[in-house]
Amino acid sequence: EIVLTQSPATLSLSPGERATLSCRASQSVSSYLAWYQQKPGQAPRLLIYDASNRATGIPARFSGSGSGTDFTLTISSLEPEDFAVYYCQQRSNWPPGWITFGQGTRLEIK
Amino acid sequence: QLQLQESGPGLVKPSETLSLTCTVSGGSISSSSYYWGWIRQPPGKGLEWIGSIYYSGSTYYNPSLKSRVTISVDTSKNQFSLKLSSVTAADTAVYYCARLGSLWGQGTLVTVSS
């Protein structure tokens, strides 16, 4: 089973600052890595799929990078609405319906 | 526009079976290359994958839940369903259905209590 470890657990920043969130896999997931944003009381929303592709309607300030075991979500300049919890998620090449989540990073206002 | 909606009882007694259905609208569940899944989130905690299904009926389950989980699909109704047996308080969570890698339903809170 592939384990995803996110760091830091909590990130305290101010609006306008740059946020860098990390996700490390226990073994290679190739580029099959997604990032989700979750706000209180809401379902997670897909931000990035296949490591670096922005989902439909996601602002350009969100970007993803990495492959293999190390991945990064970058928010170039934080907006007030970006403070939320972020999860990474991997999907297996085989079996293809098998997924796991990281434990989440809480991005809070400093 | 694709939408997913969970439905089912919000309260289940311990030792009973939790049953939820996800209705897909605005698109066909038989669309190729997509997997459909169930994910849950206990109050204040992170996300846990329960299992996935392809429209053909192929299923994949989280090993930690596999002995208690059944996921099925009804393409004629554009729905897929979750059954979780022998529930305990630890199964209290918001349950989400999703088209894996894209859109999620809004979630439904299921409480296990007598």
Side-chain angles (χ1 to χ4, degrees):
Chain A
E1 179 184 344
I2 296 175
V3 176
L4 299 180
T5 302
Q6 292 186 241
S7 62
T10 303
L11 185 58
S12 300
L13 294 170
S14 300
E17 290 193 294
R18 182 184 186 90
T20 302
L21 288 68
S22 175
C23 179
R24 176 164 289 179
S26 58
Q27 62 189 79
S28 177
V29 299
S30 185
S31 293
Y32 299 135
L33 196 287
W35 290 94
Y36 288 85
Q37 177 194 67
Q38 187 179 34
K39 297 180 180 179
Q42 296 183 16
R45 177 177 70 146
L46 179 68
L47 300 175
I48 302 288
Y49 65 94
D50 291 346
S52 61
N53 297 289
R54 270 191 305 275
T56 302
I58 301 304
R61 64 180 181 273
F62 291 91
S63 64
S65 63
S67 66
T69 60
D70 290 297
F71 300 87
T72 300
L73 173 70
T74 301
I75 310 171
S76 59
S77 179
L78 286 165
E79 298 287 342
E81 62 267 28
D82 298 337
F83 292 92
V85 179
Y86 292 83
Y87 294 95
C88 59
Q89 174 238 298
Q90 68 85 23
R91 63 177 177 90
S92 297
N93 187 36
W94 187 263
W98 190 291
I99 67 173
T100 54
F101 292 95
Q103 81 280 17
T105 290
R106 180 178 302 278
L107 179 56
E108 63 177 25
I109 299 177
K110 188 174 182 180
Chain B
Q1 181 178 348
L2 188 74
Q3 292 185 319
L4 292 84
Q5 180 67 58
E6 304 88 352
S7 60
L11 181 64
V12 181
K13 290 182 168 56
S15 80
E16 295 189 344
T17 296
L18 178 160
S19 296
L20 296 173
T21 296
C22 182
T23 299
V24 180
S25 59
S28 173
I29 202 168
S30 301
S31 298
S32 60
S33 80
Y34 286 113
Y35 283 80
W36 306 85
W38 289 96
I39 300 101
R40 70 180 183 179
Q41 185 172 37
K45 296 188 178 180
L47 301 168
E48 180 182 33
W49 171 65
I50 300 171
S52 307
I53 191 164
Y54 196 54
Y55 77 95
S56 63
S58 298
T59 53
Y60 308 94
Y61 299 136
N62 187 324
S64 68
L65 298 168
K66 185 174 183 178
S67 64
R68 299 194 290 132
V69 174
T70 302
I71 296 176
S72 59
V73 64
D74 186 337
T75 55
S76 66
K77 294 182 179 180
N78 227 29
Q79 295 175 333
F80 62 104
S81 299
L82 167 69
K83 291 187 184 300
L84 181 65
S85 63
S86 304
V87 298
T88 69
D91 294 309
T92 293
V94 175
Y95 285 76
Y96 297 99
C97 63
R99 189 176 77 175
L100 294 190
S102 63
L103 189 64
W104 294 40
Q106 65 184 26
T108 186
L109 174 63
V110 179
T111 301
V112 179
S113 175
S114 56

